[in-house]
Amino acid sequence: MPSAARLGRSETPPIVIDDSFRERAIGLDLDLLEDKTGALTFADVRSPEHAARFLPSTKASPNFGYTKSAYWARFSLDDRRDSTKRESSDPLELTLAYAQTDFAELWCLDSAGAQIVHARAGDHVLLAEWPSTYREPSFAIPAAARSCVVRVESGNSLQFPLTLRTRGTFASHRLQDNTAQCLYFGALLVMIAYNGLVAVSSRSLAYGFYTLFLASY
């Protein structure tokens, strides 16, 4: 593929996007590069010297534990959607399902090698700069994208379970996740209120500390 050549020869086959595609965890579709200094730039990893150092991922959800290294991941796309259908021009949504990530950055190129996406998100990135209001780093990938690179760096455990979804599937996933979050925090608020009332009525330090413990979440 022309796009793969622009980012260096990919060892991993492109992800096929056809009319039946809905979502896919892409951990095994990645080529990975460890950046021990954290100083490499997007231009650096596109150079032949560094592009040749990428290795195919062997894990469905890459996890490198606590490390000072940054990691680069690249993948290519083969969009085979029927161009006569309206959905063929819809962007895809790439989600990094680890909200504790400090920095996540995405670049995408079209078939001519032109950059069409550059976005960043993460704990150490202002929310105003996030490309999506979803609670986890999430990026829209235009239908014209043929190759993408993700850079991940974090002071927490460095892992990047990446999932690629269609726009409709992502909307459904987001609704389900928001519902689960509402139920979780709603139950937590009920427990705080109940134990707070018990602590006040019984003047129990144990219940008071337990209420503070719940509130700390």
Side-chain angles (χ1 to χ4, degrees):
M1 295 178 60
S3 56
R6 301 280 179 172
L7 290 173
R9 182 177 179 275
S10 176
E11 299 293 335
T12 307
I15 302 167
V16 175
I17 310 297
D18 56 23
D19 293 326
S20 65
F21 182 88
R22 294 294 178 269
E23 67 177 292
R24 175 170 174 167
I26 64 169
L28 294 174
D29 300 299
L30 305 173
D31 294 328
L32 302 175
L33 170 66
E34 181 181 7
D35 176 10
K36 293 184 178 180
T37 65
L40 293 180
T41 66
F42 179 55
D44 291 334
V45 299
R46 293 182 67 186
S47 69
E49 175 189 357
H50 292 98
R53 294 173 50 209
F54 277 85
L55 297 174
S57 171
T58 59
K59 298 179 180 180
S61 179
N63 186 338
F64 301 97
Y66 289 90
T67 175
K68 294 182 179 179
S69 298
Y71 273 82
W72 294 79
R74 72 184 182 193
F75 60 93
S76 53
L77 300 169
D78 183 5
D79 196 332
R80 301 180 184 178
R81 290 178 289 183
D82 186 347
S83 59
T84 63
K85 296 183 178 180
R86 179 176 57 82
E87 294 81 3
S88 66
S89 61
D90 286 349
L92 301 171
E93 198 76 23
L94 180 69
T95 303
L96 196 164
Y98 189 63
Q100 291 79 16
T101 302
D102 289 349
F103 296 99
E105 202 162 0
L106 173 74
W107 294 262
C108 289
L109 309 179
D110 63 14
S111 59
Q115 181 177 307
I116 55 176
V117 173
H118 179 211
R120 58 201 302 262
D123 271 355
H124 291 188
V125 178
L126 292 175
L127 286 176
E129 297 182 32
W130 285 41
S132 169
T133 57
Y134 188 50
R135 67 183 182 88
E136 297 171 337
S138 186
F139 306 93
I141 298 180
R146 291 296 175 266
S147 54
C148 296
V149 171
V150 180
R151 181 185 184 276
V152 180
E153 183 179 7
S154 187
N156 299 303
S157 175
L158 196 150
Q159 51 187 294
F160 41 102
L162 293 170
T163 302
L164 192 64
R165 297 181 175 91
T166 61
R167 184 169 64 176
T169 303
F170 176 70
S172 298
H173 167 78
R174 181 170 180 166
L175 178 61
Q176 293 172 3
D177 183 63
N178 287 344
T179 301
Q181 291 288 313
C182 288
L183 291 173
Y184 172 78
F185 286 107
L188 197 60
L189 287 171
V190 170
M191 291 175 64
I192 291 171
Y194 171 78
N195 286 283
L197 290 173
V198 172
V200 171
S201 61
S202 66
R203 297 183 180 178
S204 168
L205 283 177
Y207 272 103
F209 284 125
Y210 182 56
T211 302
L212 290 175
F213 170 73
L214 292 174
S216 70
Y217 276 84

